[in-house]
Structure formats: structure tokens, C-alpha cells
Amino acid sequence: MAARLLLRSALRAATTCRAAPAPALARGMAAGGIPTDEEQATGLEKVIMAATKEGKDPYSISTPKHYAGTKADPHIVPSVTNKRVVGCVCEEDNTVIVWFWLHQGEAQRCPSCGAHYKLVPHELPH
């Protein structure tokens, strides 16, 4: 008697579990498939993606431009203040960094190798 009752309840449980398909997956694929990055982005990521489409780089995410480092074409250093500490690796395989203060105004030279750097004002995006 107990075995028959247990068998019936197990059969009912098995049929009710199989009857419900996964509606979330079917509904998501029917609505257009997997969302793109632009559709799924929120908050700060959405702001950055919109600015990138406009050609802006609000948080300096892209790689910086390479400058010659001459007096006519100095390395551009953005700063929110009127001075900043700059580190110069004078030679490509050098292990020593030459640190010096860079002030706003005219381009300044590295005391070791003579490369020119210029401080430019930078506005924070928020």
C-alpha cells in the first residue's frame, strides 16, 4: 500500500516537472536574440560608449598619441592642476626613471635627455 502511494506521488512529480519548458530562453530568442553591448550597457559604461561613438575620450581610455618630444612638437601631459610630476625614461632599455616637476606654460625639457614636455589643462568629465 505504501509502495503504491509512493509510486503515484513520484509519477505526479515527474510529469509536472517535465510539462513546463524554459519560457525565458524561448522568449529572449524570439524577441531578437542576444542584446548588443550598446543595448545592455548601463551607467558609466553607457556614457563612455556614447562618447566613444562621438569621437571623444572622456576618461583617457585610448592609448595616448606619440609626439616627437622636440620643442616644436612636445609630449603633451594633461593635468587638472597647474603642475605635475613627470617621469621620463630617457632611453628605451634604461631602467632608471628621471622624475621632475612640470609647470603650466612653455614646454620644459627633461634634465637628462632633453625631451620636451608641455602641461595642458584637462577637465574632468563629471
Side-chain angles (χ1 to χ4, degrees):
M1 179 87 166
R4 198 179 301 161
L5 187 61
L6 185 61
L7 185 61
R8 281 185 194 163
S9 63
L11 184 62
R12 274 191 210 132
T15 56
T16 56
C17 289
R18 270 188 273 149
L25 291 176
R27 189 172 52 232
M29 295 305 287
I34 300 171
T36 62
D37 289 341
E38 290 82 15
E39 295 171 345
Q40 194 167 337
T42 60
L44 185 60
E45 182 182 13
K46 193 171 192 173
V47 171
I48 292 171
M49 290 177 102
T52 305
K53 279 187 174 180
E54 295 174 5
K56 299 177 184 174
D57 188 18
Y59 293 99
S60 302
I61 295 172
S62 302
T63 56
K65 297 177 184 176
H66 294 284
Y67 298 96
T70 61
K71 192 171 186 176
D73 189 24
H75 296 288
I76 302 297
V77 180
S79 178
V80 294
T81 62
N82 61 354
K83 61 183 177 179
R84 184 171 176 180
V85 174
V86 175
C88 180
V89 180
C90 299
E91 296 173 13
E92 187 174 325
D93 58 345
N94 200 355
T95 58
V96 177
I97 300 173
V98 178
W99 297 97
F100 60 96
W101 280 98
L102 186 63
H103 297 275
Q104 194 170 0
E106 293 293 319
Q108 298 173 11
R109 293 180 60 186
C110 170
S112 180
C113 68
H116 286 79
Y117 293 86
K118 182 172 182 166
L119 191 75
V120 294
H122 178 71
E123 294 287 327
L124 291 175
H126 54 290

